[in-house]
Amino acid sequence: MGLNLNDKKAVVAEVSAKVASAQTIVVAEYRGIQVGHLTQLRAKARAQGVYLRVLKNTLARRSVEGTPFASLADAMTGPLIYSISEDAVAAARVINDFAKTNDKLVIKAGNYAGKSLDKAAVAALASIPSREVLISQILGLMLTPVSSFARGLAALAAKKGEGAAPVAEEVAAAEEAPAA
């Protein structure tokens, strides 16, 4: 059963709200995928905060009209699933990871911050580490010189401590010798 005009307006409004706050949209053809596999894809998307939805292409075109994602309208043909995320790489990662395990999911196009992406560019975007991983890598790089300096000081102190121990033993032996 088709949607009436009010339902269509509601869908366009909902998707437009998601698109307004999105950084990335990835479009993939899902022809021939079993329902169970789509359910798994939706669960993975939900876990990563990605809005994933099968939409009528005309409604999707209306939703991206007048936004930086308007260039996707040319790729909106056939049975498509739309992956929309506020995170720059989450939408691409969810679709790309699933496409690796299921060859029936075909990435058609994407858009990141107003720039059109082809299949290879979506895969490249998906390979970028998440924000948390990048922050931890930067902090690790920042801590490396400090920890190296601290290890150097500890080694120097240990070396001086080794040299001081024999000297202390000689002084103690010299003090005991005259008394004997």
Side-chain angles (χ1 to χ4, degrees), residues 40-54:
Q40 291 173 353
L41 175 60
R42 284 186 172 112
K44 288 178 186 175
R46 202 173 314 122
Q48 294 191 20
V50 175
Y51 180 78
L52 189 72
R53 184 148 184 199
V54 174

Side-chain angles (χ1 to χ4, degrees), residues 30 32 36-37 51 55 57 61 71 80 106 109 124 141 145 149 169 171:
Y30 67 95
H37 293 137
Y51 180 78
L55 295 167
N57 294 328
R61 278 189 208 100
S71 64
L80 299 176
V106 179
L141 287 173
F149 181 70
E169 290 174 7
V171 170

Side-chain angles (χ1 to χ4, degrees), residues 140-160:
L141 287 173
M142 290 172 66
L143 290 176
T144 300
V146 174
S147 61
S148 296
F149 181 70
R151 281 193 294 272
L153 285 179
L156 183 63
K159 185 176 180 183
K160 288 208 180 233

Side-chain angles (χ1 to χ4, degrees), residues 12-127:
V12 169
E14 176 187 346
V15 175
S16 294
K18 293 291 184 181
V19 168
S21 64
Q23 282 192 24
T24 306
I25 297 178
V26 178
V27 179
E29 189 172 312
Y30 67 95
R31 185 175 291 153
I33 296 179
Q34 296 176 353
V35 174
H37 293 137
L38 277 178
T39 303
Q40 291 173 353
L41 175 60
R42 284 186 172 112
K44 288 178 186 175
R46 202 173 314 122
Q48 294 191 20
V50 175
Y51 180 78
L52 189 72
R53 184 148 184 199
V54 174
L55 295 167
K56 288 193 167 282
N57 294 328
T58 54
L59 298 179
R61 278 189 208 100
R62 287 197 178 138
S63 297
V64 298
E65 202 172 83
T67 68
F69 303 106
S71 64
L72 278 175
D74 297 335
M76 294 180 182
T77 57
L80 299 176
I81 191 161
Y82 296 85
S83 177
I84 303 169
S85 71
E86 292 178 17
D87 182 1
V89 297
R93 184 175 293 127
V94 166
I95 294 293
N96 191 53
D97 289 349
F98 190 78
K100 288 178 185 176
T101 60
N102 193 326
D103 60 343
K104 292 183 180 179
L105 185 73
V106 179
I107 299 170
K108 289 192 73 173
N111 192 308
Y112 167 67
K115 294 184 173 81
S116 296
L117 306 173
D118 61 350
K119 183 178 180 178
V122 170
L125 182 63
S127 67

Side-chain angles (χ1 to χ4, degrees), residues 163-179:
V167 172
E169 290 174 7
E170 290 174 8
V171 170
E175 290 175 0
E176 292 177 12

